[in-house]
Amino acid sequence: MRVLGIETSCDETGAAIYDANQGLLGDALYSQVALHADYGGVVPELASRDHVRKLLPLVKEVMLKSGSTPDVIDGIAYTSGPGLIGALMVGAAFAKSLALAWDIPSLGIHHMEGHLLSPMLEDDPPEFPFVALLVSGGHTQLVDVAGIGQYRLLGESIDDAAGEAFDKTAKLLGLDYPGGPALAKLALNGRAGEFVFPRPMVNRPGLDFSFSGLKTFARNTIEDNSKYGQIDEQVKADIALAFERSVASTLSIKCARALEATGHNTLVIAGGVSANQRLRTALQKMIDKRGKGKLFFPRPEFCTDNGAMIALVGYYRLAAGQREDSQVICRPRWPMDTLPGI
Ligand code: KG4
Ligand code: ZN
């Protein structure tokens, strides 16, 4: 079975082909970062229009790259939620129309399930069961994963997602959108211990997170250390480092707790923030300290949004016989624990 995957939930247009026997045969991505940069964040209407422009050329590109003609594609998977409604509709309408024209099935895929299973695209994939830490621009969730579609939410952010906290703090530091990678780069020049940010909610039991207070803490720290509205570059780097350390250590404490609570020894991290090197190091240290377990994550380009993860999940589900009718389905809000197992 060979599946075409399409991702258009936010500001990246992605397409990929996944084959049952040969794995990932090709993927292509177009990032809208430059388009939204002037606005300091994603403008939904501009995102939708750009997906319309880019999707067909990207699909043509992956068909060519993978040596596929329409007759060897057995199904189409598209992100049907969660995400920006207009952006989702572009992918859904495109996928449904193409599936109708090629007379093959199509299936709406949950974007966060795509992230969650993205480490399965690597040569050394994790085995079930495991704990997954999903850290993206819109979500921060700890999930107990028993198998595909068997997800139990252990905890989540009660306010800002980790990526959102990175983006907002980066903006306060005058960095360009998307702030996560820019803040991480700046933090490389930071001096450890110059500032100490709080570790939100680690002293309370449970596995929920709260990151909105960090942004306020960052704002106050920046104000306290500015003179005439100007802040020293070194101080900015120190603040970026303190912020990053706080997020990495908070996430790591909660991951350790989730492994204890579930009895699992495998930890998977995925989503845009899982590209963060300091987070990966903190989690690896936590696993080493436990003395058991293993950490899995996707390659850097599959941490952020991509078509490959959608093609992969589409393959799993279509191969299991899952189908939907020809109605265009978009689910801007879609709890992951309502997904069917396979
Ligand atoms: O998964 P993703 O591409 O999109 C969503 O589904 O939201 O995640 C994007 C988020 C952004 O908030 C971005 O700033 C953050 O991931 N991000 C990072 C890094 N790379 C991307 N945050 C921290 N460090 C990074 N290296
Ligand atoms: Zn994402």
Side-chain angles (χ1 to χ4, degrees), residues 1 5 7 34 49 59 82-83 88 102 134 144 156 180 192 207 213 217 219 240 252 276 297 306-307:
M1 173 176 249
E7 158 63 38
R49 293 184 202 179
V59 168
L88 292 168
W102 289 354
L134 303 179
D144 181 353
E156 63 184 334
L207 294 165
F217 195 89
R219 179 181 293 122
S252 160
N276 186 273
F297 40 78
N306 63 85

Side-chain angles (χ1 to χ4, degrees), residues 148-150 316-317 320 322 340-342:
I148 296 170
Q150 294 172 263
Y316 287 144
R317 291 190 172 280
Q322 294 187 6
I342 63 168

Side-chain angles (χ1 to χ4, degrees), residues 52-282:
V52 171
R53 278 192 286 268
K54 293 297 176 337
L55 190 50
L56 184 56
L58 284 181
V59 168
K60 278 187 174 165
E61 186 183 328
V62 290
M63 292 291 285
L64 209 68
K65 262 189 192 169
S66 63
S68 304
T69 45
D71 54 302
V72 298
I73 302 293
D74 303 294
I76 302 179
Y78 63 96
T79 304
S80 71
L84 303 171
I85 181 73
L88 292 168
M89 280 171 66
V90 175
F94 181 95
K96 289 282 176 189
S97 312
L98 198 57
L100 188 71
W102 289 354
D103 194 23
I104 53 175
S106 59
L107 195 62
I109 301 300
H110 194 293
H111 179 78
M112 296 312 292
E113 184 182 42
H115 279 303
L116 194 155
L117 296 177
S118 60
M120 302 284 196
L121 289 161
E122 304 306 328
D123 288 340
D124 173 27
E127 279 175 23
F128 301 114
F130 56 74
V131 168
L133 171 69
L134 303 179
V135 269
S136 70
H139 294 80
T140 301
Q141 296 181 324
L142 272 166
V143 188
D144 181 353
V145 181
I148 296 170
Q150 294 172 263
Y151 309 129
R152 185 168 64 94
L153 187 65
L154 297 167
E156 63 184 334
S157 178
I158 57 169
D159 42 52
D160 290 354
E164 198 177 352
F166 264 97
D167 293 341
K168 288 178 174 171
T169 303
K171 204 169 184 177
L172 291 169
L173 288 166
L175 303 174
D176 284 342
Y177 159 86
L183 189 148
K185 197 170 162 213
L186 179 64
L188 291 174
N189 301 326
R191 298 167 299 181
E194 288 296 310
F195 297 98
V196 179
F197 273 51
R199 271 68 174 150
M201 289 179 73
V202 294
N203 295 324
R204 271 192 248 169
L207 294 165
D208 285 337
F209 305 92
S210 165
F211 288 113
S212 71
L214 284 185
K215 171 193 62 196
T216 314
F217 195 89
R219 179 181 293 122
N220 293 339
T221 311
I222 292 167
E223 274 172 16
D224 291 349
N225 289 277
S226 299
K227 275 191 196 124
Y228 309 112
Q230 298 289 335
I231 185 162
D232 183 70
E233 276 305 310
Q234 180 60 57
V235 175
K236 267 170 65 172
D238 298 340
I239 294 173
L241 176 60
F243 167 84
E244 201 185 31
R245 283 168 68 119
S246 158
V247 174
S249 116
T250 305
L251 291 172
S252 160
I253 291 167
K254 293 286 165 86
C255 284
R257 215 178 268 178
L259 291 172
E260 284 315 308
T262 54
H264 302 332
N265 287 317
T266 304
L267 178 64
V268 163
I269 55 165
V273 184
S274 71
N276 186 273
Q277 195 52 50
R278 205 171 301 277
L279 173 62
R280 290 182 177 198
T281 307

